[in-house]
């Protein structure tokens, strides 16, 4: 049987992933690329990076899918996705570290009021703003999974007063953990800076909307590092105009690349990042993915398994 590499990758990405996968491929395994001729009947494992809808259904003997990305929402939205095949997410310490770095940088940018100073610089205005210490700034983290939990821990380590929300109750040292509808309300209402790291599901799509913005403390900061579809863009623009949101750092968008004419580019209250918070690096992810495949082959428990009902 064969291991298939398939996804929305360009030729250079395919070549890079192939190099690193072959370096860790166990003896006796065969790696095939979706872009090259191969026997669909021989494929029983797929390593996937947002494969085009309908493609996985072409493999009649597929028995295990290992995502090369942390998020699986695009794959799960495939109406032709076989429903009886186990799917694993990628949990990569290198990707987690990259997300932690971006969350820290984004929150510190807002905490230290650097966007306001940039606007003052453009006016040649010398004005020192009152600056609380991190312990006086309340940071809320939506989502306490592998990425959100690590970011919440790191933010608490810097000294911020951190709260986190998850669908089910959790416990993280140094973080006030909340859950449920009441917990969500409490988190939003007490977040001077709100960081979104939720998985994208039917329940969380559009969660960053006018209702949520209206419950934030006036002038709160927003950081969205999860998915563009979490954000209702028109509601954010209105909240910025009203001063309900002071500044937003956005790394993800409903349409990517962000169109040149999009109002976010020129908005003084928005920092645009081109989806760079964290990405799967073949150098580390290839080994982790193949180790999970080896566990599947050996009949051992595999890690980071996806619950299709929850959507992550």
């Amino acid at each position: 049987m064969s291991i298939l590499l398939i996804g929305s990758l360009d030729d250079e990405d395919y070549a890079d992933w192939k190099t690193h996968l072959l370096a860790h491929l166990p003896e006796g395994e065969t790696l095939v690329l979706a872009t090259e001729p191969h026997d669909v009947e021989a494929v029983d494992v797929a390593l996937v990076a947002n494969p085009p809808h309908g493609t996985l259904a072409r493999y009649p003997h597929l028995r295990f899918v290992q995502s090369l990305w942390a998020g699986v929402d695009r794959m799960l939205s495939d109406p032709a996705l076989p429903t009886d095949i186990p799917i694993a997410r990628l949990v990569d310490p290198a990707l987690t570290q990259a997300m932690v770095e971006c969350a820290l940088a984004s929150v510190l940018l807002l905490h230290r009021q650097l966007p306001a100073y940039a606007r003052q610089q453009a006016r040649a205005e010398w004005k020192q703003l009152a600056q609380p210490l991190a312990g006086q700034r309340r940071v809320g983290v939506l989502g306490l999974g592998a990425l959100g939990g690590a970011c919440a821990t790191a933010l608490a380590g810097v000294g911020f007063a951190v709260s986190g929300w998850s669908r089910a109750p959790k416990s993280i040292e140094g973080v006030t953990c909340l859950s449920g509808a009441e917990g969500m309300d409490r988190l939003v209402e007490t977040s001077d800076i709100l960081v979104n790291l939720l998985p994208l599901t039917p329940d969380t799509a559009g969660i960053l909307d006018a209702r949520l913005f209206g419950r934030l403390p006036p002038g709160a900061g927003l950081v969205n590092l999860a998915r563009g579809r979490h954000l209702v863009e028109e509601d954010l623009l209105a909240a910025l105009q009203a001063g309900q949101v002071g500044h937003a750092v956005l790394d993800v968008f409903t349409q990517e690349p962000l169109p040149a004419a999009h109002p976010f580019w020129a908005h003084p209250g928005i920092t645009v990042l081109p989806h760079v918070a964290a990405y799967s690096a073949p150098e580390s992810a290839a080994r982790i993915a193949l180790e999970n495949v080896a566990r599947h082959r050996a009949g051992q428990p595999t890690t980071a398994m996806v619950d299709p009902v929850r959507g992550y």
Side-chain angles (χ1 to χ4, degrees), residues 45-225:
V45 170
L47 305 176
V48 304
N50 289 335
H53 282 190
T55 53
L56 291 179
R58 301 172 186 169
Y59 296 90
H61 301 297
L62 191 61
R63 295 294 178 265
F64 183 70
V65 174
Q66 171 67 55
S67 176
L68 299 177
W69 291 174
V72 293
D73 47 279
R74 296 182 191 176
M75 179 167 51
L76 293 181
S77 68
D78 180 359
L81 182 69
T83 58
D84 58 342
I85 298 175
I87 300 171
R89 294 179 294 107
L90 179 74
V91 176
D92 182 352
L95 186 149
T96 300
Q97 176 63 23
M99 186 63 80
V100 165
E101 291 176 4
C102 191
L104 284 171
S106 300
V107 170
L108 285 169
L109 175 119
L110 297 176
H111 170 61
R112 295 295 304 191
Q113 305 179 81
L114 299 188
Y117 284 122
R119 292 190 291 270
Q120 288 183 189
Q121 179 177 344
R123 302 189 298 266
E125 178 183 1
W126 182 278
K127 180 182 178 182
Q128 296 174 337
L129 304 175
Q131 182 61 59
L133 295 176
Q136 299 168 283
R137 186 83 75 185
R138 301 168 299 176
V139 177
V141 178
L142 290 175
L144 292 175
L147 297 178
C151 290
T153 297
L155 288 162
V158 174
F160 289 107
V162 180
S163 297
W165 184 90
S166 56
R167 187 182 61 86
K170 292 195 174 183
S171 178
I172 299 176
E173 185 177 357
V175 177
T176 300
C177 295
L178 305 168
S179 60
E182 291 184 3
M184 173 69 78
D185 288 341
R186 180 181 168 192
L187 180 96
V188 173
E189 292 166 1
T190 58
S191 292
D192 301 314
I193 300 172
L194 183 67
V195 181
N196 179 41
L197 283 162
L198 287 167
L200 181 63
T201 70
D203 291 334
T204 65
I207 195 169
L208 303 177
D209 63 358
R211 180 175 180 274
L212 181 145
F213 298 145
R215 302 197 324 270
L216 287 169
L222 173 68
V223 178
N224 188 18
L225 305 178

Side-chain angles (χ1 to χ4, degrees), residues 74 227-229 231 233 251-260 262 264-265 275:
R74 296 182 191 176
R227 285 288 186 263
R229 287 180 53 210
L231 176 66
E233 295 181 350
D251 182 59
V252 288
F253 306 90
T254 302
Q255 182 179 352
E256 295 182 3
L258 191 66
H262 198 285
F264 283 179
W265 282 114
H275 205 145

